[in-house]
């Protein structure tokens, strides 16, 4: 006979499984049909759960999108940081460019991540989830940026605004160059992007 602890554990695992299925199938649908053309009914039918189950985990379609964007962006950042730790790059701006380039290359490999993000989000670094990056946690992207700016005494008056500006620039560039191929492809545009980022760091 199962104990109460075992029953509770199974319930929690079942909840986690349902949420994962909803996220996974929403990601697939957003990537194939697009966000606007995907309905909540589409998501729950593909995930094989009741519509009411969706609302146990998400407020609406925008909420599940935001959680997906946050999850995918954190994966991109985590992968970049892991590879950065294997490199010897003394200058902060070189480390920052490495991380950004790594994330762009990952997006090139997985373009489906871009296709489900509405262009107005500018990839959106990352819609309502942006605030989570403004964290002083050691592993946070903002913490890395802030530490680099301060340790090298870069002439930046407002670190948060500069951080947002760079992320928004990268996000909109990725969307336009990788999805719309405008004004050119991302590989052609990258040198201009990186030069702009270096200029922002030194102009302040």
């Amino acid at each position: 006979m199962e104990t109460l602890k075992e029953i509770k554990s199974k319930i929690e695992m079942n909840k986690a499984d349902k949420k994962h299925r909803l996220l996974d199938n929403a990601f697939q649908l957003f990537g194939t049909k697009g966000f606007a053309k995907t309905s909540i009914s589409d998501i729950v039918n593909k995930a094989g759960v009741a519509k009411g189950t969706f609302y146990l985990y998400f407020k609406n379609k925008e909420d599940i999108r935001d959680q997906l964007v946050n999850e995918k962006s954190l994966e991109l950042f985590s992968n970049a940081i892991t590879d950065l730790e294997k490199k010897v790059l003394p200058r902060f701006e070189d480390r920052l460019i490495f991380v950004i380039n790594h994330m762009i290359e990952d997006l090139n490999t997985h373009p489906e991540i871009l296709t489900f993000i509405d262009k107005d989000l500018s990839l959106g670094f990352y819609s309502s989830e942006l605030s989570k990056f403004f964290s002083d946690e050691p592993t946070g992207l903002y913490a890395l940026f802030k530490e680099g700016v301060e340790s090298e005494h870069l002439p930046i008056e407002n670190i948060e605004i500069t951080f947002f500006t760079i992320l928004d620039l990268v996000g909109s560039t990725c969307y336009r160059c990788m999805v719309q191929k405008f004004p050119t492809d991302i590989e052609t545009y990258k040198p201009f992007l990186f030069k702009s980022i270096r200029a922002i760091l030194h102009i302040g």
Side-chain angles (χ1 to χ4, degrees):
M1 184 175 178
E2 289 184 318
T3 65
L4 181 59
K5 184 177 180 180
E6 289 172 333
I7 293 172
K8 286 183 176 179
S9 177
K10 281 190 174 181
I11 291 172
E12 291 304 313
M13 288 176 64
N14 185 48
K15 286 181 179 178
D17 176 65
K18 286 181 179 178
K19 184 175 182 180
H20 176 75
R21 279 157 53 195
L22 286 165
L23 284 165
D24 185 56
N25 285 282
F27 178 68
Q28 292 179 38
L29 286 166
F30 292 160
T32 53
K33 295 181 64 174
F35 176 77
K37 294 182 179 179
T38 299
S39 66
I40 291 175
S41 294
D42 292 332
I43 295 170
V44 297
N45 289 338
K46 188 171 175 60
V49 301
K51 195 167 188 177
T53 302
F54 178 93
Y55 293 102
L56 293 175
Y57 307 104
F58 311 103
K59 293 179 289 187
N60 47 42
K61 191 172 68 166
E62 287 73 17
D63 187 27
I64 193 171
R65 176 196 59 191
D66 287 351
Q67 289 194 40
L68 275 169
V69 172
N70 185 53
E71 178 183 290
K72 298 301 178 181
S73 61
L74 288 175
E75 285 178 12
L76 292 173
F77 173 62
S78 177
N79 291 339
I81 292 300
T82 297
D83 284 349
L84 175 62
E85 290 171 351
K86 303 171 186 176
K87 301 287 184 180
V88 180
L89 298 171
R91 298 175 65 200
F92 164 65
E93 66 182 82
D94 293 331
R95 296 195 297 275
L96 179 63
I97 294 297
F98 176 88
V99 169
I100 292 171
N101 184 64
H102 194 291
M103 295 171 74
I104 290 173
E105 290 303 310
D106 273 358
L107 287 171
N108 262 329
T109 305
H110 302 286
E112 68 276 7
I113 297 175
L114 277 175
T115 59
F116 85 92
I117 300 173
D118 184 87
K119 63 183 178 182
D120 293 331
L121 290 179
S122 295
L123 188 74
F125 284 109
Y126 283 100
S127 87
S128 62
E129 299 297 328
L130 176 65
S131 61
K132 295 183 180 180
F133 286 95
F134 286 83
S135 164
D136 287 327
E137 292 296 318
T139 55
L141 180 54
Y142 176 64
L144 177 73
F145 185 83
K146 183 179 179 182
E147 190 278 330
V149 169
E150 292 177 344
S151 66
E152 297 191 10
H153 308 288
L154 296 175
I156 293 176
E157 292 183 9
N158 191 313
I159 295 177
E160 289 187 2
I161 294 298
T162 304
F163 174 74
F164 173 83
T165 299
I166 290 174
L167 291 184
D168 193 61
L169 173 63
V170 173
S172 58
T173 295
C174 284
Y175 184 86
R176 295 193 181 281
C177 292
M178 297 172 72
V179 175
Q180 299 177 333
K181 308 298 181 184
F182 177 83
T184 185
D185 62 90
I186 191 65
E187 288 303 315
T188 303
Y189 196 80
K190 273 199 297 188
F192 298 94
L193 173 64
F194 297 157
K195 186 180 293 185
S196 298
I197 292 170
R198 292 182 192 276
I200 290 171
L201 292 175
H202 290 282
I203 292 173

